[in-house]
Amino acid sequence: MSNLYIPVCAFFCSLLLIIVFFSKKNVKTKETKIFSVLLITSFIDTIIMVLIIYIGYVDADNIKLLVLLNRIDFIQYLVWAWMFYLYIYYITLNIKEKSLKGYNIVVRTTFIINLIILILILVLPVDIYNVNNVMYSYGLATNCLYVTCGLYLFLIIVTVLVNIKNIKNKKYVPVFALIFLAVILLIVRQFNPGLLLISAVLTYINLIMYFTIENPDLKLIKELNFARNQALEANNAKTDFLSSMSHEIRTPLNAIMGFSQALSEEDIPKSAKEEISDIVSASESLLEIVNGILDISKIEANKLEIINTEYDFNKILKELVSLTKARLGDKPLEVKVSFDPTIPPILYGDHLRLKQIILNLLTNSVKYTKEGYIKFEVSSIIKDDVCRLIISVEDSGIGIKKEKIDKLFTKFERLDADNTTIEGTGLGLAITKKLVELMRGNIVVQSVYGKGSKFTVAIDQKIVNKPYIEEKETTFEEFNAEGKKVLIVDDNVLNLKVAARLLQNYNVAITQVTSGFDCLVLINNHEYFDLILCDDMMPKMNGAETLKQLKKIEGFSIPVVMLTANAISGMREKYLNDGFDDYLSKPIQKIELNKIIKKFLKNNKL
């Protein structure tokens, strides 16, 4: 019975391998399915082998049963060899050019061959040698099986050698193990044919495969990494697409808003001015939608950064109140304001994002409140060097249905969209919540449908302990920059016209070129300018490349301002890091343009 030791060990090892493999979540690939067949076949083989040895000892005269069990065992060997060959053939195919058509042809061809061999195994004689505790099978059926398995081994080696470039190193291991153990089996069989090692060898090869190329955990990690890389590529593609679309949408908007602003200053009929005002208002709404889509995409791609700086909180509050009142239009709304006077004047945080959060809430209230009031309150809790701002925006608007509150911060979800004609994308609150979370704050909503809503935000900001110097309020004022020369570089002729029209009021001498190459020619020809406004997305040589070439020119010191429709969050910082002196986004806002002119072309006031 000593011959039972190895098959019994193989049985328990095979059983354990099956339990571990099938208890885990497996990636559903073709090679994994083939491997599962290898495991099952090997396990059945160990059971049959134990039965053959046991019956051979306790009922040696029952030759018919032993022959039947040997024939069944031969079938298991044949199936295992076939599956192993198909496995090796499949994994050696070039993944990028994997052709299942060729694989299916191989499957059908080998299936027909196996069917013929199966018939021969069932028909050809099998003899059993069982003398002095040494038992093994021999005969034509056995020889037929060995020749077939040898043929499969030869095909495996040829397949690997032909496709050696398409197979990863660790996938060679089972093949090398099979070749090595097959040679050992042949040698052992010559000296001791009664030592039944085939079941153990098959189990051992399955074990090697499990720990090298078929481990479910490793495969899942590989699939997850692949999915992660695909997601990253998709996000990058989306960001690039949005950047391009931002440029394409902002370019015509720049013309619409620029010319509208210029026309509003002309001596034209009152009705025409009102219509121009409507055009500007509609353009600003479209710009707000574009900015919202870009912001939400940036947040989802984890590319929106919180940039903390010192800021004047009182100034932010005044700007917010002013912007809110400007958006009321002819609505009979009372804006109630209440600010905690103990809030430190200078705080440290991302004031731009804080302003965006509050403005989104105020704008939302203006949109959904026809009459009544909007109450804007800010209180604080101060502890050590941290000021917790408690910001609430309450209104007497349409309110929110109870079942809708959970969906309130979902993208493209609008308040009571079925019963209102108010326009919007439903991005404002989604962006607000994500910004609050990025700033490690909290937002809470309370609402009674038909009576109004209240949004409360709590955000911590650091206190800056230094004397507060009140800034003098400056009204919008244009400067006479007569004698100054400005070069505008933009491949879009319409954008050149807009920029030139807005610069007319400053009495500057304007030169226009449509490429970075033309800009370099002028500077290399010793043309002097006091300021260069340069677009970024230009063919052949973009704005950043143009700046690099300009800085290579000896003695170049002209300030260069990036004038671009690429206004995705974070682009200002990028352009400043690239070496630009400042940044101006399209559509060009008169106030922002005035700041640039004031900064670089100071002269007498108009």
Side-chain angles (χ1 to χ4, degrees):
M1 296 286 284
S2 60
N3 271 0
L4 267 177
Y5 294 157
I6 294 176
V8 168
C9 288
F11 166 77
F12 283 111
C13 183
S14 186
L15 176 63
L16 181 62
L17 197 55
I18 281 181
I19 292 171
V20 171
F21 181 79
F22 287 104
S23 64
K24 291 180 177 289
K25 185 179 179 180
N26 289 290
V27 179
K28 303 299 181 183
T29 60
K30 191 168 288 293
E31 59 259 41
T32 302
K33 290 177 182 178
I34 297 174
F35 180 67
S36 63
V37 176
L38 289 173
L39 288 179
I40 294 168
T41 305
S42 177
F43 177 66
I44 294 172
D45 169 60
T46 59
I47 296 173
I48 295 172
M49 186 55 64
V50 169
L51 288 174
I52 289 172
I53 296 172
Y54 178 77
I55 292 170
Y57 281 111
V58 300
D59 191 10
D61 294 331
N62 196 345
I63 301 299
K64 288 184 178 180
L65 180 57
L66 288 174
V67 168
L68 177 62
L69 288 173
N70 270 277
R71 290 187 191 277
I72 295 172
D73 200 36
F74 291 167
I75 295 171
Q76 303 304 315
Y77 294 150
L78 180 64
V79 173
W80 192 94
W82 179 38
M83 289 292 107
F84 191 82
Y85 168 65
L86 292 180
Y87 184 94
I88 297 301
Y89 182 86
Y90 186 81
I91 66 173
T92 54
L93 292 174
N94 190 328
I95 295 175
K96 293 181 180 179
E97 300 174 0
K98 188 166 282 188
S99 171
L100 290 179
K101 184 178 179 182
Y103 172 78
N104 291 333
I105 292 172
V106 170
V107 172
R108 287 193 291 268
T109 304
T110 50
F111 176 78
I112 295 170
I113 294 171
N114 284 336
L115 196 59
I116 296 170
I117 301 301
L118 176 64
I119 294 170
L120 292 175
I121 287 172
L122 294 175
V123 173
L124 294 175
V126 175
D127 297 313
I128 304 297
Y129 180 88
N130 191 359
V131 179
N132 297 328
N133 291 332
V134 176
M135 183 176 62
Y136 58 88
S137 61
Y138 63 97
L140 291 177
T142 307
N143 295 337
C144 182
L145 173 67
Y146 287 162
V147 169
T148 305
C149 290
L151 177 62
Y152 274 126
L153 181 60
F154 173 76
L155 289 174
I156 289 167
I157 295 171
V158 171
T159 302
V160 169
L161 291 176
V162 171
N163 300 284
I164 198 165
K165 292 182 179 179
N166 300 331
I167 189 169
K168 294 182 179 179
N169 290 334
K170 66 177 183 177
K171 293 190 176 183
Y172 286 121
V173 176
V175 180
F176 294 148
L178 178 63
I179 296 169
F180 174 75
L181 293 173
V183 173
I184 296 295
L185 275 175
L186 290 174
I187 296 172
V188 170
R189 189 168 179 81
Q190 293 299 319
F191 292 97
N192 188 359
L195 190 60
L196 305 176
L197 294 174
I198 297 178
S199 297
V201 166
L202 300 187
T203 301
Y204 187 63
I205 292 172
N206 288 341
L207 195 64
I208 291 172
M209 291 178 72
Y210 179 84
F211 284 107
T212 55
I213 55 178
E214 280 300 330
N215 187 293
D217 295 334
L218 294 176
K219 283 214 161 192
L220 280 173
I221 290 171
K222 182 181 177 182
E223 289 292 314
L224 288 172
N225 287 335
F226 179 72
R228 176 178 172 274
N229 291 335
Q230 280 193 319
L232 286 173
E233 288 177 5
N235 267 332
N236 290 334
K238 183 174 72 173
T239 301
D240 292 341
F241 169 76
L242 288 171
S243 177
S244 176
M245 287 307 297
S246 167
H247 185 272
E248 295 303 320
I249 294 172
R250 283 172 178 271
T251 296
L253 268 178
N254 181 47
I256 295 168
M257 295 181 72
F259 287 130
S260 297
Q261 288 173 12
L263 283 171
S264 66
E265 297 171 358
E266 299 289 338
D267 185 16
I268 56 176
K270 184 180 177 181
S271 59
K273 282 194 174 185
E274 289 176 356
E275 289 171 354
I276 289 169
S277 178
D278 290 339
I279 292 172
V280 173
S281 177
S283 301
E284 287 174 347
S285 296
L286 179 56
L287 187 60
E288 187 178 327
I289 292 169
V290 172
N291 289 338
I293 293 171
L294 293 175
D295 276 344
I296 202 75
S297 300
K298 268 283 187 181
I299 292 168
E300 289 179 346
N302 295 319
K303 291 184 178 180
L304 190 69
E305 296 180 357
I306 298 300
I307 301 170
N308 296 321
T309 57
E310 294 180 6
Y311 66 94
D312 178 354
F313 185 63
N314 292 318
K315 183 180 177 183
I316 297 293
L317 293 177
K318 288 178 183 177
E319 289 175 355
L320 287 167
V321 173
S322 177
L323 286 168
T324 303
K325 288 181 177 179
R327 295 190 179 196
L328 291 178
D330 57 357
K331 285 188 176 182
L333 293 176
E334 180 187 0
V335 179
K336 302 177 182 180
V337 178
S338 175
F339 301 145
D340 182 356
T342 64
I343 297 174
I346 306 296
L347 298 176
Y348 180 81
D350 192 334
H351 67 285
L352 292 176
R353 294 304 172 191
L354 179 65
K355 186 177 177 181
Q356 185 177 358
I357 289 167
I358 301 172
L359 188 59
N360 280 349
L361 295 177
L362 289 167
T363 302
N364 203 65
S365 289
V366 171
K367 274 186 181 180
Y368 292 96
T369 307
K370 293 181 179 179
E371 57 184 14
Y373 67 89
I374 292 172
K375 188 186 292 183
F376 176 27
E377 295 180 326
V378 182
S379 58
S380 66
I381 300 172
I382 297 174
K383 185 177 181 182
D384 298 327
D385 63 341
V386 175
C387 175
R388 174 162 293 179
L389 298 173
I390 312 296
I391 303 151
S392 71
V393 176
E394 184 180 351
D395 62 61
S396 57
I398 62 174
I400 308 161
K401 292 179 180 178
K402 196 172 182 179
E403 63 270 19
K404 288 273 188 178
I405 290 179
D406 291 339
K407 299 179 181 179
L408 194 60
F409 299 107
T410 304
K411 287 184 300 182
F412 307 109
E413 189 74 26
R414 292 173 53 212
L415 305 181
D416 203 20
D418 297 334
N419 300 320
T420 183
T421 57
I422 297 169
E423 295 179 354
T425 59
L427 285 174
L429 289 177
I431 292 169
T432 300
K433 182 171 173 51
K434 289 183 181 293
L435 287 175
V436 169
E437 290 171 350
L438 276 174
M439 297 180 74
R440 299 181 180 178
N442 293 299
I443 183 168
V444 176
V445 58
Q446 300 164 286
S447 185
V448 177
Y449 186 62
K451 293 186 176 181
S453 307
K454 182 178 181 179
F455 291 84
T456 305
V457 174
I459 292 177
D460 290 344
Q461 301 282 271
K462 287 186 178 180
I463 299 169
V464 178
N465 293 313
K466 70 178 187 181
Y468 170 61
I469 301 173
E470 187 174 358
E471 292 184 10
K472 293 181 181 179
E473 285 194 30
T474 56
T475 57
F476 177 84
E477 50 186 358
E478 293 176 336
F479 285 81
N480 182 359
E482 189 174 355
K484 302 291 184 179
K485 298 176 68 177
V486 178
L487 173 63
I488 309 171
V489 187
D490 199 315
D491 64 305
N492 188 294
V493 176
L494 197 58
N495 284 338
L496 289 172
K497 287 183 179 180
V498 172
R501 179 64 182 82
L502 293 175
L503 285 169
Q504 277 182 8
N505 294 338
Y506 299 95
N507 296 324
V508 295
I510 300 168
T511 302
Q512 304 174 22
V513 293
T514 56
S515 72
F517 294 105
D518 293 338
C519 171
L520 292 172
V521 168
L522 288 177
I523 302 302
N524 280 314
N525 288 337
H526 307 293
E527 289 279 347
Y528 179 78
F529 299 95
D530 297 285
L531 176 64
I532 298 176
L533 300 177
C534 184
D535 184 33
D536 186 22
M537 293 186 180
M538 298 183 292
K540 296 182 181 178
M541 181 184 289
N542 62 30
E545 291 168 348
T546 302
L547 179 64
K548 284 181 183 178
Q549 296 301 319
L550 286 171
K551 291 198 171 184
K552 291 179 182 179
I553 299 173
E554 187 177 352
F556 179 81
S557 60
I558 304 170
V560 183
V561 174
M562 171 54 71
L563 176 60
T564 180
N566 188 6
I568 292 179
S569 176
M571 294 311 294
R572 177 185 179 84
E573 292 72 23
K574 175 189 176 299
Y575 288 127
L576 293 179
N577 288 334
D578 287 344
F580 287 93
D581 294 279
D582 214 320
Y583 167 88
L584 189 60
S585 67
K586 298 175 188 173
I588 300 171
Q589 302 289 336
K590 282 189 67 178
I591 293 175
E592 297 302 318
L593 176 62
N594 195 66
K595 288 178 183 178
I596 297 295
I597 299 301
K598 184 179 178 181
K599 181 177 179 181
F600 296 106
L601 304 177
K602 287 183 181 179
N603 207 324
N604 300 318
K605 294 180 183 179
L606 285 173

